[in-house]
Amino acid sequence: ASFGTQMVTAKGVSDALVARFDSSGNFTQVYSAGGATAVNTTFGVAWLPWGKPVAVGGFEKTTTFGSTMRTSSGLTDVFVWAP
């Protein structure tokens, strides 16, 4: 996917993406999480007052959030991710 001039390459079957746009609709930043066989779904995103995103969703198998790798304990585990 392309966000402005930044390309995001899929890491797996289904990745979680968080993109930010300014009040004029211009792209400012994007974060992604995923894994080669992982299924990731983002259910909601909130922006903290100091500009940091927090995403809530679910993941299966092994997923990388930034530089941190997590493996689900069951079929689908919940994540709260603040990149």
Side-chain angles (χ1 to χ4, degrees), residues 16-78:
L17 291 172
V18 176
R20 183 176 186 173
F21 300 85
D22 65 20
S23 60
S24 298
N26 300 308
F27 167 78
T28 60
Q29 61 197 85
V30 64
Y31 303 94
S32 66
T37 60
V39 176
N40 304 283
T41 305
T42 304
F43 300 123
V45 177
W47 291 91
L48 300 174
W50 49 90
K52 190 92 165 147
V54 177
V56 178
F59 74 100
E60 297 176 4
K61 301 182 181 173
T62 301
T63 298
T64 301
F65 297 94
S67 61
T68 303
M69 185 178 291
R70 296 284 184 239
T71 301
S72 65
S73 298
L75 182 58
T76 302
D77 285 8
V78 172

